[in-house]
């Protein structure tokens, strides 16, 4: 998609340059470019993009061309928005909530890799059973589940550290919002519910009544 977008923009560049009406001020130009640099940095961190665009010297006579230049760059980078959003959520949950003394990284030629805090690469089967389960479940939810799907999760607390259990619902709600899905969780662990009792339905209470 990035290649096709780039080709289309390059082929239509002369016409768009002639018809461009927007003339950016120097301040607007630098502000827009700074925002695009942030987006580029994320893409580079996930090994989806190589190199960074240089900040071209602003000149009032070139303002129209610079406007087209930034719009083209933004449109090309926007191709990655959905993927970057998913990668950020996936890696943040694992690195900030789940992993201790290790991290997950994204590599263009390898996909997901796992490293110790000393930089030693680990195979998936070298993770604990709880870590492996988390990687697989999060991957399925974030990358493979389609919108409007009802997902059933049975006893997610199995193999999960107590701290992971406490953050489970909070992380799951982020995934639900992003993926536009519904999730039904069956659990015996109060730690999974944590403070979100407003989301629970007590089956044993219903049977007693």
């Amino acid at each position: 998609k990035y290649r096709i977008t780039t080709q289309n923009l390059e082929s239509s560049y002369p016409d768009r340059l002639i018809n461009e009406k927007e003339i950016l001020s120097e301040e607007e130009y630098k502000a827009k470019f700074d925002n695009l640099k942030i987006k580029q940095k994320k893409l580079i961190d996930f090994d989806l993009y190589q190199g960074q665009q240089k900040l071209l010297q602003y000149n009032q006579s070139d303002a129209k061309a610079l406007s087209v230049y930034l719009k083209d760059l933004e449109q090309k980078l926007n191709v990655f928005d959905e993927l970057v959003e998913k990668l950020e959520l996936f890696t943040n949950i694992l690195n900030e909530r789940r992993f201790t003394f290790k991290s997950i990284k994204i590599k263009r030629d390898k996909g997901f890799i796992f490293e110790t805090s000393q930089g030693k690469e680990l195979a998936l089967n070298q993770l604990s059973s709880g870590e492996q389960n988390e990687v697989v479940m999060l991957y399925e939810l974030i990358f493979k589940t389609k919108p409007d799907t009802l997902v059933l999760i049975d006893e997610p607390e199995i193999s999960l550290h107590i701290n992971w259990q406490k953050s489970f619902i909070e992380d799951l709600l982020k995934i639900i919002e992003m993926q536009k899905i519904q999730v039904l969780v069956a659990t015996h662990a109060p730690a999974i519910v944590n403070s979100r009792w407003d989301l629970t339905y007590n089956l044993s209470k219903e049977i007693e009544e």
Side-chain angles (χ1 to χ4, degrees):
K1 288 173 68 176
Y2 176 82
R3 178 179 57 81
I4 292 171
T5 300
T6 300
Q7 290 176 342
N8 290 338
L9 289 172
E10 288 177 351
S11 64
S12 64
Y13 178 78
D15 289 337
R16 290 185 294 107
L17 179 60
I18 292 172
N19 295 319
E20 178 61 40
K21 304 298 183 184
E22 184 177 12
I23 299 178
L24 296 176
S25 67
E26 186 171 3
E27 292 74 20
E28 290 172 330
Y29 170 66
K30 289 182 177 179
K32 286 179 177 290
F33 193 87
D34 286 342
N35 288 333
L36 289 173
K37 279 176 61 179
I38 294 172
K39 183 173 285 193
Q40 283 183 322
K41 175 66 166 54
K42 290 182 180 180
L43 293 173
I44 291 170
D45 288 343
F46 288 128
D47 204 15
L48 296 172
Y49 194 81
Q50 295 178 327
Q52 283 192 322
Q53 299 291 330
K54 294 181 179 179
L55 178 64
L56 300 178
Q57 188 67 35
Y58 181 86
N59 189 300
Q60 181 66 34
S61 60
D62 298 326
K64 217 166 66 160
L66 291 174
S67 178
V68 176
Y69 166 70
L70 288 185
K71 287 179 180 178
D72 285 7
L73 180 56
E74 183 176 24
Q75 193 170 336
K76 287 187 282 186
L77 297 184
N78 284 348
V79 170
F80 297 100
D81 282 353
E82 182 180 349
L83 178 58
V84 168
E85 183 183 14
K86 292 182 177 184
L87 287 172
E88 280 190 308
L89 184 58
F90 181 65
T91 56
N92 286 345
I93 290 175
L94 290 173
N95 289 334
E96 296 176 11
R97 306 269 203 187
R98 306 295 192 260
F99 289 161
T100 304
F101 306 120
K102 62 179 72 72
S103 62
I104 185 171
K105 295 183 178 179
I106 311 299
K107 294 295 181 182
R108 180 192 299 261
D109 57 339
K110 296 182 179 180
F112 305 144
I113 67 167
F114 307 92
E115 288 184 353
T116 66
S117 54
Q118 288 77 36
K120 178 183 177 182
E121 190 169 327
L122 299 170
L124 179 59
N125 59 14
Q126 290 178 289
L127 303 179
S128 70
S129 60
E131 289 170 336
Q132 291 182 45
N133 289 339
E134 281 290 279
V135 170
V136 173
M137 181 174 66
L138 288 172
Y139 173 78
E140 292 286 334
L141 288 172
I142 294 174
F143 294 99
K144 299 190 72 176
T145 307
K146 297 180 180 179
D148 300 320
T149 299
L150 173 61
V151 179
L152 309 180
I153 303 177
D154 186 34
E155 297 186 339
E157 64 269 18
I158 296 176
S159 299
L160 285 188
H161 187 280
I162 186 65
N163 288 334
W164 301 0
Q165 294 181 32
K166 290 179 178 179
S167 61
F168 181 82
I169 291 297
E170 183 179 344
D171 294 333
L172 186 59
L173 289 172
K174 294 177 183 177
I175 296 172
I176 290 170
E177 181 180 2
M178 183 182 70
Q179 292 292 82
K180 304 296 185 285
I181 59 176
Q182 292 183 320
V183 180
L184 181 62
V185 179
T187 180
H188 294 95
I192 288 288
V193 179
N194 202 11
S195 62
R196 296 308 307 267
W197 292 97
D198 58 306
L199 301 176
T200 62
Y201 188 85
N202 192 330
L203 293 178
S204 61
K205 182 179 177 181
E206 293 297 322
I207 291 173
E208 291 172 0
E209 293 178 351

